[in-house]
Amino acid sequence: PEELKRKMVEEVESMKWSPSWALNRMKNWVENAKDWCISRERYWGTPLPVWKCRKCGYVEVIGSIEELRSKAINPEELKDVHRPWIDRIRLRCPKCGDEMAREPFVVDVWMDSGVAHTAALRQYGWEHLLEKLYPYTWITEAADQTRGWFYTLLITGVLLYGVRPYQAVLLQGHVLDKYGRKMSKSRGNVIWAHDFMSRYGADPMRLFLLSRAPWDSINFDPDEVARYRGVINTLWNVVRFAISYMELDKWKPHGIESVNLDAEDVWILAKLYKLADNVAKAVETDSMHQAIKLLEEFIVEMLSHRYVTVVRPRVWVEEETESKRAVYETLFHVITNLLKILAPFAPFVTEYLYHTFTLNFGKGLKTVHLEAWPRKPANLVLDETLVKVVERLFEAAEKILSLRMEAGIKRRWPLKEAVIVPLDFDVNVVKKAAHILARYANIKSVKVEEKPPTSNNYVVVEVEGFKIYVTLRLDEETLLEGLAREVIRRAQVMRKEADLPLDAYVAKLIVCTSDAMLRKAVEKHKQFIAGEVRAKEVELVDVCPENGKEWKIEARKVVLKLEL
Ligand SMILES: [Zn+2]
């Protein structure tokens, strides 16, 4: 037994353990292992194949059903190899000629599962695969199995074949309730998987469970699962956005290399292939939670928030432009490959979208689950400097967006101007990407200059490699137009609340406010407001009407009333 233990420890040390502390736990267990009594005094179970002579005590261990049949005095009784039938089988003692009876024990269930490496193949007659599969690549179970299944497989594997039965092990934590308590029926905090999935969906639940480090215990929080449903919805909306425009234009894919890509196209493609590499790396190190984080970031931040926002104006044009085709090719390429990367984690929604999107427009396989892992095509060259520039400009735009927030200037109110001064990038490369800053941060005019502007009307935003000068104040013209739009938005909400048909006109929109800028805005844009709100007249008053609705536009108070 000491020799067996030594060999087992050696094998344990040769495996890959996740998390790494599991190696020592397993080693300690093996080093201090006691004898394992493999028999049990039970009725149900695998009968121990041991027969003993009732007279001289001679013991025989039977190795197969065939052997048992051939040695049995009464083989016709062997209708089933379990109890009670097996207990009726008698053998003839080769020593004294008396009858032998079976020892009335069954095998410990850990012995059953402990030979799974061989039994799982033998039950189908697939023993020939053993040589190919053994030792198995990967095994996973709950953390307490170092003294259970991991251990029993190891003993039988080393005894039978002299080597470890598996190469890599992942220990998993338990699933607890939201507050970290064990789920139990008596406590009433059990979450039933089927019930839960029918309400939240199977894919969001998978994403949630995979989003936690697998070796930690997981506090099951339904709100968090709902958050992952949000991630899937975001992807869904991006696909719907793509489909609606592609169908409108009766577009068909011709391959990503058939178009001239804009800076943001190059950027998202580079991000896609980086995602593919990093997700693969994460999975290979059992860090599925890292993979989920990367996928979420790509779908929500990069694809939906950034890319789609920036390309919207490119697909709004009605004519068939090269730029629009580039967006379609990019979206098709990115979404299709994203589905392949996401498929192992969210198998249902990806399969659905693969059929309704990828196969609807282009060619593919029978199912997304037969697709190979995405690799960047050799002929797809993505300018790394340009990717970096785009990345930095998005960063700068985020900073400008938070400055806007602090200053109370909403994103839908365009800022007048920004000047990008590259510190260590070529001006001509930066010019290719300047429109990204304009669209993402909503700035009317963005210029790229070698030297900073001399006027001091600018706020400076710094990111690595750039200084960006931006006018953070709204000029009066923009402000007045913005305020007029705010009034329109609120009046339209009131139209909806009043359940007016879309094309119905109202007699009058009454606007009551004492705010000077707001009055000026309404005065100046009366026609515009009237047209948008479908009011025959817009009236600005000092004394507010009864039954008007009070609104706030930033800090400005206004009362609106629709007269039908
Ligand atoms: Zn005997």
Side-chain angles (χ1 to χ4, degrees):
E2 287 313 310
E3 172 56 22
L4 176 62
K5 272 191 198 176
R6 198 196 51 74
K7 179 65 187 159
M8 281 167 69
V9 168
E10 194 182 303
E11 293 298 313
V12 166
E13 283 173 338
S14 76
M15 302 167 184
K16 201 181 119 219
W17 291 84
S18 292
S20 51
W21 52 256
L23 168 64
N24 277 330
R25 180 194 271 205
M26 186 70 182
K27 251 173 70 180
N28 284 339
W29 176 255
V30 172
E31 277 164 352
N32 298 306
K34 305 253 162 38
D35 286 344
W36 174 20
C37 176
I38 60 166
S39 64
R40 290 288 183 276
E41 289 184 20
R42 299 269 161 80
Y43 185 83
W44 303 103
T46 304
L48 205 62
V50 175
W51 271 259
K52 195 172 175 185
C53 176
R54 59 189 179 183
K55 193 171 162 201
C56 75
Y58 178 74
V59 169
E60 184 149 359
V61 180
I62 300 297
S64 71
I65 296 173
E66 289 69 45
E67 187 186 348
L68 181 60
R69 276 223 173 81
S70 70
K71 288 185 174 167
I73 297 171
N74 51 346
E76 70 283 355
E77 293 284 344
L78 192 63
K79 297 188 176 76
D80 188 289
V81 291
H82 295 91
R83 303 181 82 172
W85 302 279
I86 191 124
D87 292 338
R88 295 171 194 156
I89 302 299
R90 296 283 182 272
L91 308 186
R92 182 71 60 203
C93 175
K95 286 273 142 72
C96 72
D98 206 336
E99 279 190 7
M100 304 174 81
R102 198 184 75 85
E103 291 288 281
F105 304 113
V106 297
V107 169
D108 179 9
V109 288
W110 287 109
M111 182 76 190
D112 282 341
S113 55
V115 292
H117 45 66
T118 304
L121 295 176
R122 190 169 287 179
Q123 66 174 326
Y124 298 117
W126 293 347
E127 293 96 325
H128 60 284
L129 291 177
L130 189 72
E131 205 177 319
K132 265 192 188 165
L133 296 173
Y134 194 100
Y136 294 84
T137 318
W138 190 74
I139 186 173
T140 183
E141 254 290 351
D144 46 359
Q145 298 297 328
T146 44
R147 54 185 62 189
W149 198 42
F150 297 144
Y151 173 64
T152 57
L153 283 171
L154 178 66
I155 299 188
T156 59
V158 170
L159 277 174
L160 274 171
Y161 308 114
V163 285
R164 58 193 180 160
Y166 39 83
Q167 303 169 37
V169 190
L170 168 63
L171 265 64
Q172 300 209 38
H174 289 126
V175 179
L176 307 171
D177 80 357
K178 186 175 168 178
Y179 306 103
R181 297 172 310 186
K182 198 175 163 190
M183 291 190 197
S184 76
K185 277 192 197 168
S186 58
R187 204 179 265 144
N189 61 347
V190 174
I191 288 173
W192 300 99
H194 270 116
D195 174 45
F196 191 82
M197 283 188 285
S198 66
R199 276 186 296 138
Y200 286 78
D203 282 342
M205 186 156 108
R206 288 174 64 100
L207 291 180
F208 165 73
L209 289 172
L210 289 167
S211 72
R212 273 37 184 182
W215 41 82
D216 291 339
S217 44
I218 295 175
N219 294 354
F220 196 96
D221 183 351
D223 292 340
E224 277 290 292
V225 181
R227 207 169 66 74
Y228 284 99
R229 193 172 49 184
V231 173
I232 289 175
N233 281 342
T234 302
L235 172 64
W236 190 276
N237 288 335
V238 170
V239 176
R240 215 172 46 182
F241 163 78
I243 289 178
S244 61
Y245 284 100
M246 289 169 177
E247 279 188 342
L248 214 60
D249 284 333
K250 299 192 172 58
W251 173 84
K252 286 277 164 212
H254 290 89
I256 192 73
E257 62 287 342
S258 71
V259 285
N260 285 319
L261 300 171
D262 269 9
E264 61 268 26
D265 307 332
V266 172
W267 172 78
I268 195 75
L269 286 163
K271 288 288 175 189
L272 170 78
Y273 285 106
K274 198 167 172 202
L275 175 76
D277 288 350
N278 288 341
V279 167
K281 260 182 231 157
V283 170
E284 276 159 16
T285 54
D286 290 328
S287 302
M288 271 63 85
H289 56 303
Q290 305 287 3
I292 298 298
K293 217 168 124 188
L294 293 167
L295 281 160
E296 179 180 357
E297 194 192 4
F298 183 85
I299 293 168
V300 177
E301 293 304 326
M302 298 179 190
L303 184 57
S304 172
H305 284 179
R306 292 184 174 184
Y307 184 73
V308 170
T309 303
V310 169
V311 299
R312 261 176 213 282
R314 290 169 63 192
V315 299
W316 280 339
V317 293
E318 256 178 67
E319 324 78 80
E320 188 165 317
T321 60
E322 170 81 16
S323 167
K324 187 162 73 170
R325 287 205 302 115
V327 174
Y328 290 166
E329 291 292 352
T330 305
L331 275 173
F332 186 74
H333 191 91
V334 168
I335 292 171
T336 294
N337 284 294
L338 173 62
L339 292 177
K340 296 178 202 170
I341 302 170
L342 186 61
F345 308 96
F348 300 106
V349 70
T350 50
E351 178 72 348
Y352 179 81
L353 293 176
Y354 183 74
H355 283 269
T356 50
F357 178 73
T358 301
L359 298 186
N360 182 33
F361 289 101
K363 292 196 186 79
L365 302 175
K366 212 164 80 183
T367 154
V368 70
H369 302 296
L370 287 175
E371 288 278 5
W373 196 255
R375 280 181 202 293
K376 188 166 81 70
N379 58 353
L380 180 63
V381 182
L382 305 171
D383 179 349
E384 276 173 41
T385 311
L386 183 59
V387 171
K388 216 180 270 175
V389 167
V390 173
E391 187 77 22
R392 304 277 163 78
L393 290 184
F394 270 126
E395 241 174 79
E398 299 284 3
K399 285 192 175 180
I400 293 171
L401 288 178
S402 49
L403 286 176
R404 274 169 161 273
M405 205 136 82
E406 283 164 29
I409 305 169
K410 291 197 171 143
R411 192 175 181 179
R412 60 175 173 276
W413 294 2
L415 298 174
K416 193 171 175 196
E417 189 188 18
V419 179
I420 302 174
V421 180
L423 303 178
D424 38 48
F425 289 103
D426 181 57
V427 169
N428 290 317
V429 177
V430 178
K431 276 184 177 162
K432 288 188 201 165
H435 64 278
I436 291 172
L437 187 75
R439 286 183 202 155
Y440 196 66
N442 195 10
I443 304 167
K444 270 187 180 163
S445 146
V446 173
K447 284 181 241 164
V448 184
E449 307 276 3
E450 307 248 10
K451 294 212 166 59
T454 46
S455 129
N456 51 11
N457 290 334
Y458 298 95
V459 174
V460 187
V461 171
E462 286 185 64
V463 289
E464 210 189 322
F466 290 99
K467 278 194 176 178
I468 289 149
Y469 298 80
V470 59
T471 52
L472 201 58
R473 271 174 317 195
L474 292 173
D475 57 304
E476 188 169 300
E477 195 186 317
T478 315
L479 178 64
L480 293 180
E481 191 190 317
L483 287 173
R485 285 183 191 279
E486 295 295 328
V487 171
I488 290 167
R489 262 168 33 98
R490 285 162 179 78
Q492 271 160 350
V493 170
M494 290 169 71
R495 280 186 64 108
K496 248 185 215 155
E497 284 170 357
D499 239 351
L500 290 174
L502 279 178
D503 53 355
Y505 273 86
V506 296
K508 198 190 273 184
L509 170 67
I510 300 173
V511 183
C512 172
T513 180
S514 57
D515 183 89
M517 281 310 267
L518 206 48
R519 290 185 71 91
K520 209 168 171 183
V522 173
E523 201 61 66
K524 185 174 177 199
H525 293 288
K526 247 182 192 172
Q527 288 308 316
F528 175 52
I529 296 171
E532 292 291 305
V533 178
R534 288 189 174 253
K536 287 184 182 132
E537 190 190 337
V538 173
E539 190 185 2
L540 192 59
V541 298
D542 299 315
V543 182
C544 292
E546 300 233 342
N547 310 325
K549 184 161 182 173
E550 190 177 313
W551 296 91
K552 267 192 172 168
I553 298 174
E554 309 300 315
R556 308 166 207 272
K557 255 194 225 163
V558 62
V559 172
L560 300 180
K561 187 179 180 188
L562 292 173
E563 278 192 0
L564 304 181

PDB file of all heavy atoms in Angstrom, residues 53-58 93-100, ligand 1:
ATOM      1  N   CYS A  53     -16.362 -21.451  -0.077  1.00  0.00           N
ATOM      2  CA  CYS A  53     -16.771 -22.827   0.192  1.00  0.00           C
ATOM      3  C   CYS A  53     -17.299 -22.932   1.619  1.00  0.00           C
ATOM      4  O   CYS A  53     -16.659 -22.471   2.559  1.00  0.00           O
ATOM      5  CB  CYS A  53     -15.589 -23.782   0.007  1.00  0.00           C
ATOM      6  SG  CYS A  53     -16.004 -25.486   0.434  1.00  0.00           S
ATOM      7  N   ARG A  54     -18.485 -23.522   1.770  1.00  0.00           N
ATOM      8  CA  ARG A  54     -19.085 -23.569   3.108  1.00  0.00           C
ATOM      9  C   ARG A  54     -18.372 -24.582   4.001  1.00  0.00           C
ATOM     10  O   ARG A  54     -18.530 -24.576   5.207  1.00  0.00           O
ATOM     11  CB  ARG A  54     -20.574 -23.884   3.020  1.00  0.00           C
ATOM     12  CG  ARG A  54     -20.888 -25.201   2.346  1.00  0.00           C
ATOM     13  CD  ARG A  54     -22.383 -25.336   2.113  1.00  0.00           C
ATOM     14  NE  ARG A  54     -22.643 -26.610   1.445  1.00  0.00           N
ATOM     15  CZ  ARG A  54     -23.833 -27.005   1.044  1.00  0.00           C
ATOM     16  NH1 ARG A  54     -24.890 -26.234   1.251  1.00  0.00           N
ATOM     17  NH2 ARG A  54     -23.980 -28.162   0.441  1.00  0.00           N
ATOM     18  N   LYS A  55     -17.581 -25.456   3.378  1.00  0.00           N
ATOM     19  CA  LYS A  55     -16.904 -26.471   4.190  1.00  0.00           C
ATOM     20  C   LYS A  55     -15.449 -26.105   4.483  1.00  0.00           C
ATOM     21  O   LYS A  55     -15.056 -25.941   5.630  1.00  0.00           O
ATOM     22  CB  LYS A  55     -16.959 -27.818   3.459  1.00  0.00           C
ATOM     23  CG  LYS A  55     -16.563 -28.997   4.330  1.00  0.00           C
ATOM     24  CD  LYS A  55     -16.873 -30.301   3.596  1.00  0.00           C
ATOM     25  CE  LYS A  55     -16.125 -31.466   4.203  1.00  0.00           C
ATOM     26  NZ  LYS A  55     -16.028 -32.572   3.214  1.00  0.00           N
ATOM     27  N   CYS A  56     -14.648 -25.903   3.408  1.00  0.00           N
ATOM     28  CA  CYS A  56     -13.215 -25.680   3.650  1.00  0.00           C
ATOM     29  C   CYS A  56     -12.829 -24.207   3.625  1.00  0.00           C
ATOM     30  O   CYS A  56     -11.691 -23.853   3.906  1.00  0.00           O
ATOM     31  CB  CYS A  56     -12.367 -26.472   2.654  1.00  0.00           C
ATOM     32  SG  CYS A  56     -12.357 -25.763   0.990  1.00  0.00           S
ATOM     33  N   GLY A  57     -13.785 -23.330   3.250  1.00  0.00           N
ATOM     34  CA  GLY A  57     -13.495 -21.902   3.308  1.00  0.00           C
ATOM     35  C   GLY A  57     -12.733 -21.364   2.101  1.00  0.00           C
ATOM     36  O   GLY A  57     -12.340 -20.198   2.078  1.00  0.00           O
ATOM     37  N   TYR A  58     -12.540 -22.168   1.068  1.00  0.00           N
ATOM     38  CA  TYR A  58     -11.835 -21.707  -0.130  1.00  0.00           C
ATOM     39  C   TYR A  58     -12.622 -20.574  -0.796  1.00  0.00           C
ATOM     40  O   TYR A  58     -13.844 -20.612  -0.868  1.00  0.00           O
ATOM     41  CB  TYR A  58     -11.646 -22.883  -1.101  1.00  0.00           C
ATOM     42  CG  TYR A  58     -10.975 -22.481  -2.394  1.00  0.00           C
ATOM     43  CD1 TYR A  58      -9.606 -22.188  -2.438  1.00  0.00           C
ATOM     44  CD2 TYR A  58     -11.717 -22.382  -3.572  1.00  0.00           C
ATOM     45  CE1 TYR A  58      -9.003 -21.810  -3.616  1.00  0.00           C
ATOM     46  CE2 TYR A  58     -11.118 -22.000  -4.768  1.00  0.00           C
ATOM     47  CZ  TYR A  58      -9.765 -21.713  -4.782  1.00  0.00           C
ATOM     48  OH  TYR A  58      -9.172 -21.326  -5.953  1.00  0.00           O
ATOM     49  N   CYS A  93     -16.679 -26.449  -5.198  1.00  0.00           N
ATOM     50  CA  CYS A  93     -15.360 -26.110  -4.658  1.00  0.00           C
ATOM     51  C   CYS A  93     -14.290 -26.981  -5.312  1.00  0.00           C
ATOM     52  O   CYS A  93     -14.378 -28.208  -5.280  1.00  0.00           O
ATOM     53  CB  CYS A  93     -15.331 -26.312  -3.138  1.00  0.00           C
ATOM     54  SG  CYS A  93     -13.687 -26.035  -2.436  1.00  0.00           S
ATOM     55  N   PRO A  94     -13.299 -26.347  -5.935  1.00  0.00           N
ATOM     56  CA  PRO A  94     -12.247 -27.134  -6.590  1.00  0.00           C
ATOM     57  C   PRO A  94     -11.334 -27.844  -5.573  1.00  0.00           C
ATOM     58  O   PRO A  94     -10.614 -28.764  -5.923  1.00  0.00           O
ATOM     59  CB  PRO A  94     -11.465 -26.086  -7.389  1.00  0.00           C
ATOM     60  CG  PRO A  94     -11.756 -24.780  -6.743  1.00  0.00           C
ATOM     61  CD  PRO A  94     -13.085 -24.898  -6.058  1.00  0.00           C
ATOM     62  N   LYS A  95     -11.373 -27.434  -4.319  1.00  0.00           N
ATOM     63  CA  LYS A  95     -10.499 -28.049  -3.306  1.00  0.00           C
ATOM     64  C   LYS A  95     -11.134 -29.294  -2.700  1.00  0.00           C
ATOM     65  O   LYS A  95     -10.534 -30.355  -2.659  1.00  0.00           O
ATOM     66  CB  LYS A  95     -10.206 -27.037  -2.185  1.00  0.00           C
ATOM     67  CG  LYS A  95      -9.230 -25.948  -2.621  1.00  0.00           C
ATOM     68  CD  LYS A  95      -7.794 -26.380  -2.413  1.00  0.00           C
ATOM     69  CE  LYS A  95      -6.861 -25.931  -3.486  1.00  0.00           C
ATOM     70  NZ  LYS A  95      -6.421 -24.654  -3.712  1.00  0.00           N
ATOM     71  N   CYS A  96     -12.405 -29.145  -2.215  1.00  0.00           N
ATOM     72  CA  CYS A  96     -13.003 -30.259  -1.490  1.00  0.00           C
ATOM     73  C   CYS A  96     -14.258 -30.800  -2.158  1.00  0.00           C
ATOM     74  O   CYS A  96     -14.821 -31.790  -1.720  1.00  0.00           O
ATOM     75  CB  CYS A  96     -13.311 -29.859  -0.051  1.00  0.00           C
ATOM     76  SG  CYS A  96     -14.699 -28.726   0.083  1.00  0.00           S
ATOM     77  N   GLY A  97     -14.729 -30.143  -3.201  1.00  0.00           N
ATOM     78  CA  GLY A  97     -15.885 -30.650  -3.934  1.00  0.00           C
ATOM     79  C   GLY A  97     -17.218 -30.271  -3.333  1.00  0.00           C
ATOM     80  O   GLY A  97     -18.271 -30.608  -3.876  1.00  0.00           O
ATOM     81  N   ASP A  98     -17.213 -29.546  -2.239  1.00  0.00           N
ATOM     82  CA  ASP A  98     -18.487 -29.127  -1.646  1.00  0.00           C
ATOM     83  C   ASP A  98     -19.021 -27.908  -2.397  1.00  0.00           C
ATOM     84  O   ASP A  98     -18.396 -27.420  -3.332  1.00  0.00           O
ATOM     85  CB  ASP A  98     -18.280 -28.800  -0.155  1.00  0.00           C
ATOM     86  CG  ASP A  98     -19.585 -28.979   0.627  1.00  0.00           C
ATOM     87  OD1 ASP A  98     -20.660 -28.886   0.006  1.00  0.00           O
ATOM     88  OD2 ASP A  98     -19.500 -29.193   1.855  1.00  0.00           O
ATOM     89  N   GLU A  99     -20.160 -27.375  -1.962  1.00  0.00           N
ATOM     90  CA  GLU A  99     -20.748 -26.228  -2.657  1.00  0.00           C
ATOM     91  C   GLU A  99     -20.222 -24.912  -2.103  1.00  0.00           C
ATOM     92  O   GLU A  99     -19.971 -24.789  -0.903  1.00  0.00           O
ATOM     93  CB  GLU A  99     -22.272 -26.269  -2.526  1.00  0.00           C
ATOM     94  CG  GLU A  99     -22.903 -27.203  -3.525  1.00  0.00           C
ATOM     95  CD  GLU A  99     -24.417 -27.064  -3.566  1.00  0.00           C
ATOM     96  OE1 GLU A  99     -24.962 -26.150  -2.901  1.00  0.00           O
ATOM     97  OE2 GLU A  99     -25.051 -27.871  -4.265  1.00  0.00           O
ATOM     98  N   MET A 100     -20.102 -23.933  -3.014  1.00  0.00           N
ATOM     99  CA  MET A 100     -19.662 -22.599  -2.609  1.00  0.00           C
ATOM    100  C   MET A 100     -20.838 -21.633  -2.752  1.00  0.00           C
ATOM    101  O   MET A 100     -21.586 -21.710  -3.722  1.00  0.00           O
ATOM    102  CB  MET A 100     -18.511 -22.104  -3.494  1.00  0.00           C
ATOM    103  CG  MET A 100     -17.316 -23.037  -3.527  1.00  0.00           C
ATOM    104  SD  MET A 100     -16.087 -22.461  -4.713  1.00  0.00           S
ATOM    105  CE  MET A 100     -15.266 -21.210  -3.743  1.00  0.00           C
TER     106      MET A 100
HETATM  107 ZN    ZN B   1     -14.076 -26.500  -0.217  1.00  0.00          ZN
END
